[in-house]
Amino acid sequence: MKKIAFVVSVALSTGALFATAACTGGAPGTGSGDVKQDTSGQQEIRYMIGQPEDPADLELIKSDLKTFESKNQGITVKLDVIPSENVRTVLQTQLRSGQGPDVFGYDTGPGFAGALAKAGLVYDLTSAYAEHKWPIYDFAKKRVTFGGKIVGVPSQIEEVGVFYNKTLFAKYGIAQPTNLTELTAAAEKLKQNKVTPFAVSDKEGWQGGHLLSMSLSSAVGSKGMDDLLNGRTSWNTQPVVDSLAVWKQWNDKGLLTPSPAAVSYDNANALFYSGKAAMNPTGSWLALDIERNAKFDVGFIPFPAQNGAGIFSGGLGSGTFVSASTKKADASIKFLDYLLTAEHGRWAAEKLQDIPAYPIDTTGMKASPLFKQVLDDSAKIAGGTGDFGYNIDVLTTDVFNNAMWKGIQGILSDQAEPAKVAAQLQTAYEKSAK
């Protein structure tokens, strides 16, 4: 999964937010404080992350780790980079065996970090938050709190919407769409001119959750999403069916990449960078890669609603966690403390275009128009102003997410109908709530 999680304006109920599916197999890991600690003078911590989409980012991360080491003599960081699609399987296997990394990047929310917390596989950072006074936004802190324990450090604020090629739009006389009808008409005109309208991928599965998140958020608004996620509204309802049907209809019309369920995320992005596809429905984390790879001006808009501009699905991205079985808790917490300094936050914004989940001073910071837009929108998320939808999968369980991901893959491969998938989502929600 690429990154992401939820919104300031709504406090989800305990039942919806904390209902988690247990990790598959294995006994719970050793609880924080139960592991004999390594107190040697020289310590090496292992830090596991998913492979960045751009190799340039990996070099920046390595340089940043050297900076940390220079400021913390006696601690070195061994970077363990694995393919992003393998993170979940590899990480859970290692954590359950007690051989996991000391620190790792992972998705927030009940179906991800929440499942690890329920299994006792992540370190309780509640006292570290109090001791170091980490300035994480309250809404972000809630997304890594399970059973009354804070178990992670949120990494960045993000939003999901539609990137579009301004140059191609201008070439074919297409204005920025202000509603769903205009967006569909724009896509049809692009197809007539032999341009793939939408670079849609769903081979990995998680992308389907983002597709539904953006179309559904704009259809029902933040309150409607809150009602769905809290069980006040059934998933087996017409707005959900319609939001799924949009993608089926566009796929049937040939407005998406051919066979999107067989297209990888990287390949879809490459189609957009090359100008062969005019729009890319994904998250703001891609802004830096777009600036590096696209040779044209790019706009970023919410997925339009039927009768209006729509809203972004916005909120929190992934987080950084410490293994419950680490023997180097003090060194690991020092590393987290470094990641939460104001200086590091500004560095992340300038170099990686990450929006930290805590306040930073952006005075005089150079930013492209595209990234400035993301910065401004993210400030609204952090401040609780404006209307933002939700990225669904970081607020739901493994059971629900698997139903959603497989269901949307089925829709995009002509093996499932929207109404059937909506019914399956409600069944999965009810199962998760038990």
Side-chain angles (χ1 to χ4, degrees), residues 4 47 104-108 144 152-156 316-321:
I4 284 227
Y47 177 36
F104 57 91
Y106 200 57
D107 284 297
T108 57
V144 290
V153 170
S155 296
Q156 68 273 330
L316 181 66
S318 59
T320 307
F321 303 85

Side-chain angles (χ1 to χ4, degrees), residues 179-194:
N179 57 50
L180 190 55
T181 300
E182 291 180 3
L183 180 60
T184 302
E188 290 173 339
K189 188 168 186 178
L190 288 161
K191 182 188 176 185
Q192 291 169 6
N193 286 281
K194 304 188 184 308

Side-chain angles (χ1 to χ4, degrees), residues 12-14 16-20 107-110 113-115 117-118 122-126 129 136-154 316 321 394-395:
L12 295 182
S13 69
T14 303
L17 184 57
F18 295 147
T20 61
D107 284 297
T108 57
K118 186 174 182 179
V122 284
Y123 194 93
D124 180 2
L125 296 169
T126 307
Y129 266 83
I136 298 294
Y137 295 125
D138 286 342
F139 89 94
K141 193 185 302 182
K142 291 176 182 177
R143 300 298 182 258
V144 290
T145 300
F146 302 95
K149 298 178 180 180
I150 310 174
V151 300
V153 170
L316 181 66
F321 303 85
V394 290
L395 290 176

Side-chain angles (χ1 to χ4, degrees), residues 279-308:
M279 290 178 280
N280 193 355
T282 187
S284 60
W285 58 83
L286 199 66
L288 179 57
D289 284 352
I290 287 173
E291 289 183 14
R292 288 171 174 166
N293 294 288
K295 307 304 180 185
F296 46 83
D297 290 335
V298 177
F300 189 45
I301 59 173
F303 188 94
Q306 189 66 50
N307 298 308

Side-chain angles (χ1 to χ4, degrees), residues 121-351:
L121 299 174
V122 284
Y123 194 93
D124 180 2
L125 296 169
T126 307
S127 61
Y129 266 83
E131 178 183 350
H132 296 281
K133 296 181 172 56
W134 288 335
I136 298 294
Y137 295 125
D138 286 342
F139 89 94
K141 193 185 302 182
K142 291 176 182 177
R143 300 298 182 258
V144 290
T145 300
F146 302 95
K149 298 178 180 180
I150 310 174
V151 300
V153 170
S155 296
Q156 68 273 330
I157 297 171
E158 297 166 336
E159 53 194 3
V160 176
V162 181
F163 289 102
Y164 71 97
N165 184 326
K166 287 185 174 182
T167 303
L168 280 176
F169 271 50
K171 179 178 179 179
Y172 297 113
I174 302 172
Q176 177 179 305
T178 61
N179 57 50
L180 190 55
T181 300
E182 291 180 3
L183 180 60
T184 302
E188 290 173 339
K189 188 168 186 178
L190 288 161
K191 182 188 176 185
Q192 291 169 6
N193 286 281
K194 304 188 184 308
V195 176
T196 300
F198 293 98
V200 169
S201 66
D202 200 27
K203 182 177 181 179
E204 292 84 357
W206 57 263
Q207 302 96 314
H210 290 173
L211 298 179
L212 178 59
S213 295
M214 65 178 79
S215 59
L216 185 57
S217 290
S218 287
V220 303
S222 58
K223 183 181 184 305
M225 293 297 290
D226 182 39
D227 288 343
L228 285 164
L229 290 163
N230 280 295
R232 292 188 290 269
T233 299
S234 171
W235 289 86
N236 190 19
T237 52
Q238 199 60 46
V240 178
V241 175
D242 291 344
S243 297
L244 291 166
V246 167
W247 299 103
K248 174 173 172 51
Q249 291 162 6
W250 285 351
N251 192 40
D252 290 346
K253 290 181 177 180
L255 303 182
L256 312 183
T257 41
S259 303
V263 178
S264 72
Y265 185 67
D266 289 342
N267 285 342
N269 291 338
L271 283 174
F272 182 69
Y273 300 151
S274 69
K276 294 179 180 178
M279 290 178 280
N280 193 355
T282 187
S284 60
W285 58 83
L286 199 66
L288 179 57
D289 284 352
I290 287 173
E291 289 183 14
R292 288 171 174 166
N293 294 288
K295 307 304 180 185
F296 46 83
D297 290 335
V298 177
F300 189 45
I301 59 173
F303 188 94
Q306 189 66 50
N307 298 308
I311 58 176
F312 284 113
S313 299
L316 181 66
S318 59
T320 307
F321 303 85
V322 175
S323 169
S325 60
T326 182
K327 296 179 181 179
K328 301 162 185 174
D330 287 347
S332 298
I333 290 171
K334 284 184 179 180
F335 181 56
L336 295 186
D337 191 50
Y338 168 75
L339 296 179
L340 293 172
T341 61
E343 295 80 8
H344 187 271
R346 180 162 176 134
W347 175 88
E350 287 184 323
K351 300 296 186 181

